[in-house]
Amino acid sequence: AGGASTYTWSTGANTSSVVVNPATSTNYTVTGTTGSCTDAKTVSVTIGAILSIQVAPAQATVCAGSPVTFTALGASSYTWNTGGTSANITLSPTVTTTYTVLGVTQNCTGTKTVSVFVNTLPTTIVSATNVACFGFNNGQLSATASGAAPFTYTYSSGQNNLGPGTYTVYASDANGCIGSATAAITQPSQIITTTGAGITSCPAACDGSFQATISGGQPPYVCTVFPGSFSGTTLTNLCAGNYNYN
């Protein structure tokens, strides 16, 4: 208030200014006095209705990291506690989270809180059986999961008769949430054999020799020479002839 020496408000305050917080629309009167002169003035504070803000859906349950979209209704503009400023907001929480939206129409406001309940993804573990020999396709995968049982497993390329490579397994739990894990199947390197033979001293002598050098595969090696019942990488006392080394 201004224009007088002293003031008296209908609230009991005796200052030129007064702070009020009415719950309903209220009239306030201030009386100003200067000497023997007085005057009064009445002001009104109008309280608007609190907005009824609604959010659809009212709550949601999702798998961790999956998106959910909320739409706020009942105001002209909105501000979410995430910083979003539109009526629609898409969220992808990894844990159960509560969100609040403030709706504003002129001087009236209202708030609404919604919750997103988050189901964790199943933890998936994959073990691999590697290919037995170079060029084979007999690798295998086996998966286990923990979380909301029971689980359904999906193998990206099947579970059996697999060649070398990296594979993914997906585990779907009772909540419909999907976890995944990868595993690599390997194969031994190719077996490479280098052989050298020593000639016999004469056609009828059985004093020839045979030497093999082997690399690759998975030692130890089992070596057999045909014909005959010889084995090993160094053979002696061989008769002249052709031999197959395996």
Side-chain angles (χ1 to χ4, degrees):
S5 300
T6 61
Y7 304 93
T8 301
W9 291 85
S10 55
T11 63
N14 295 310
T15 55
S16 60
S17 61
V18 64
V19 177
V20 294
N21 294 288
T24 60
S25 297
T26 306
N27 294 326
Y28 297 93
T29 300
V30 59
T31 300
T33 301
T34 299
S36 60
C37 300
T38 62
D39 192 17
K41 183 70 174 180
T42 299
V43 293
S44 298
V45 176
T46 301
I47 303 299
I50 296 176
L51 298 179
S52 177
I53 305 300
Q54 301 298 318
V55 176
Q59 66 180 36
T61 300
V62 299
C63 300
S66 295
V68 57
T69 299
F70 288 107
T71 301
L73 305 168
S76 300
S77 63
Y78 304 92
T79 302
W80 295 83
N81 64 334
T82 61
T85 56
S86 63
N88 300 317
I89 187 171
T90 299
L91 306 162
S92 300
T94 56
V95 296
T96 296
T97 306
T98 298
Y99 300 93
T100 300
V101 60
L102 169 69
V104 178
T105 297
Q106 297 180 350
N107 294 324
C108 298
T109 64
T111 60
K112 184 68 174 180
T113 298
V114 293
S115 295
V116 180
F117 300 96
V118 175
N119 292 319
T120 58
L121 304 182
T123 300
T124 309
I125 299 174
V126 181
S127 59
T129 300
N130 292 323
V131 171
C133 299
F134 179 85
F136 282 27
N137 291 303
N138 58 355
Q140 295 180 326
L141 296 174
S142 178
T144 58
S146 60
F151 304 99
T152 300
Y153 300 97
T154 301
Y155 294 81
S156 59
S157 300
Q159 185 177 2
N160 302 305
N161 301 320
L162 300 172
T166 300
Y167 301 90
T168 301
V169 180
Y170 302 90
S172 176
D173 67 11
N175 297 319
C177 298
I178 298 175
S180 65
T182 59
I185 291 178
T186 62
Q187 67 177 350
S189 58
Q190 186 174 11
I191 296 176
I192 299 175
T193 304
T194 302
T195 60
I199 62 174
T200 60
S201 59
C202 60
C206 291
D207 57 359
S209 63
F210 183 95
Q211 177 69 44
T213 302
I214 305 171
S215 63
Q218 292 180 320
Y221 305 107
V222 177
C223 308
T224 305
V225 177
F226 299 97
S229 57
F230 306 102
S231 63
T233 57
T234 301
L235 306 178
T236 58
N237 300 320
L238 298 177
C239 300
N242 294 321
Y243 296 88
N244 291 322
Y245 189 83
N246 295 308

